[in-house]
Amino acid sequence: METRTLILFLSELVGAIAVTLLLTLSPRFKRGRAVQFARPRQEGLFGLGVAVLLGLAAYAFLRGPGASLTYDETTLAGLGVRLGIGAAALLVVALILRLRKHPLSSVRWSRPMLMPGVQLGLAVGFLTLFLRNILPELFKGITMDQGYALLVWLGIALAEESLFRGYVQLRLEAWLGERWGWLAASGLSTLWLLLFIGGQPLSALLPRLGLLLLQALVLGWMAQRSRGVLGGAIYRAMSGWLMMF
């Protein structure tokens, strides 16, 4: 990985932490009610099981015997594969929520936190654009394919953040405590990403995997601070999209 890319990515994470710390001081981020589960251990184990089973299913589609799907992060078609897998996983979670009669707040989605989440995501996203010095390029306009790619990345981020920072992390926090639940969910989400980037040489894979783990930790912390996943999802969509430039 190039030194410049590494520095930009780390600067982006530091900026996300700083903006989140500043904005979440506002009372607007205190509106969401804390979710409590009647059986925290049972919910935590169930959430862990769901994450593992979804990961195994994704592995079977991508790398198992007779796998027919191919992921390529540099093309719209390749990104569409990841979006489809994420959407299918989110559909499973939605079905589980309905069957178990759990509210959307149990995946860190609630109406009072929507606008604060949008504001947080746009603030961190704009800072990311500034740090990567992409703003002059955007002012010149983007191609239709780049516009579609941004929408696809937004879909990917919303699905994966709702799954890991919303459904899984909240249940692991209820079971293991806020710190260990956050760490465990960050590890699980990084393993999920390994499904998509695992074909790279080890010398390139390990540094990238380390950075993705750091980003997962920041995203999990953002979800805790903002009581929602929308802000982190917008930031992550912007970050992933910019990596294509």
Side-chain angles (χ1 to χ4, degrees), residues 3-243:
T3 302
R4 181 176 180 273
T5 301
L6 175 63
I7 293 173
L8 286 174
F9 194 84
L10 292 176
S11 299
E12 172 186 308
L13 294 180
V14 172
I17 293 172
V19 171
T20 302
L21 278 173
L22 180 63
L23 291 187
T24 53
L25 294 174
S26 169
R28 291 173 298 174
F29 287 91
K30 313 299 180 184
R31 296 173 184 170
R33 293 184 301 173
V35 176
Q36 295 183 338
F37 298 101
R39 298 181 178 86
R41 182 174 181 273
Q42 178 181 320
E43 285 296 331
L45 287 170
F46 192 85
L48 177 61
V50 168
V52 171
L53 289 176
L54 289 175
L56 291 174
Y59 177 84
F61 279 110
L62 283 169
R63 303 186 183 278
S68 58
L69 298 179
T70 303
Y71 174 67
D72 182 357
E73 62 187 352
T74 63
T75 67
L76 277 174
L79 287 175
V81 169
R82 183 168 168 185
L83 176 60
I85 291 175
L90 190 59
L91 185 61
V92 171
V93 169
L95 181 60
I96 292 172
L97 292 179
R98 183 171 181 82
L99 292 175
R100 307 192 76 190
K101 299 180 180 180
H102 286 183
L104 284 177
S105 57
S106 70
V107 287
R108 286 195 164 112
W109 279 95
S110 63
R111 185 175 296 178
M113 302 309 298
L114 289 180
M115 187 52 65
V118 170
Q119 292 169 344
L120 174 62
L122 291 179
V124 178
F126 183 82
L127 179 62
T128 301
L129 290 173
F130 176 77
L131 291 173
R132 290 181 179 269
N133 196 29
I134 299 293
L135 284 174
E137 294 288 334
L138 294 183
F139 286 143
K140 297 176 184 177
I142 61 175
T143 66
M144 186 174 294
D145 282 350
Q146 288 172 332
Y148 285 145
L150 177 58
L151 292 177
V152 173
W153 263 111
L154 185 58
I156 291 170
L158 286 171
E160 294 181 354
E161 291 305 298
S162 296
L163 172 60
F164 288 102
R165 251 60 69 176
Y167 184 82
V168 175
Q169 182 173 320
L170 200 56
R171 282 153 180 78
L172 291 180
E173 287 175 356
W175 173 33
L176 303 173
E178 197 170 79
R179 177 182 298 176
W180 290 108
W182 161 61
L183 292 173
S186 298
L188 287 170
S189 69
T190 305
L191 289 176
W192 172 271
L193 297 180
L194 183 59
L195 295 172
F196 299 97
I197 65 172
Q200 300 180 9
L202 197 61
S203 58
L205 177 63
L206 290 179
R208 185 174 182 190
L209 204 60
L211 290 179
L212 290 174
L213 176 59
L214 284 177
Q215 187 182 52
L217 290 168
V218 171
L219 288 165
W221 173 82
M222 288 177 65
Q224 290 177 338
R225 290 281 302 188
S226 65
R227 299 190 179 185
V229 298
L230 184 54
I234 294 174
Y235 151 61
R236 188 169 165 221
M238 189 69 71
S239 177
W241 180 61
L242 291 176
M243 291 295 288

